[in-house]
Amino acid sequence: MQVFNVQGMSCGHCVRAITQALQSKDPAATVRVDLAAKEVGVESRLSNEEVISLISEEGYAVKVA
């Protein structure tokens, strides 16, 4: 599982937005969001660049942890 640092997440809406964005491109993706740690764990066929792009498009600052 690849872990990304994501700034700006604060609620359930953030979790849903990120999860849906990633699963729209890879329906089999496993997404784990830790709001307190500001981390998103992703197990997916998507590249790191694709994951970063999709999360960024939702309005969050993201980088590989």
Side-chain angles (χ1 to χ4, degrees):
M1 180 167 284
Q2 183 61 50
V3 178
F4 299 86
N5 290 325
V6 181
Q7 299 301 311
M9 301 184 303
S10 62
C11 64
H13 171 76
C14 301
V15 173
R16 274 191 311 280
I18 290 171
T19 301
Q20 289 175 351
L22 295 171
Q23 290 179 339
S24 72
K25 296 293 182 188
D26 180 6
T30 300
V31 181
R32 292 192 177 95
V33 179
D34 183 337
L35 292 174
K38 306 272 189 241
E39 292 181 342
V40 176
V42 181
E43 195 167 311
S44 172
R45 63 173 175 76
L46 299 171
S47 70
N48 285 353
E49 292 76 19
E50 289 173 303
V51 171
I52 289 170
S53 176
L54 288 166
I55 295 174
S56 293
E57 286 175 13
E58 293 300 315
Y60 303 98
V62 57
K63 64 181 178 178
V64 176

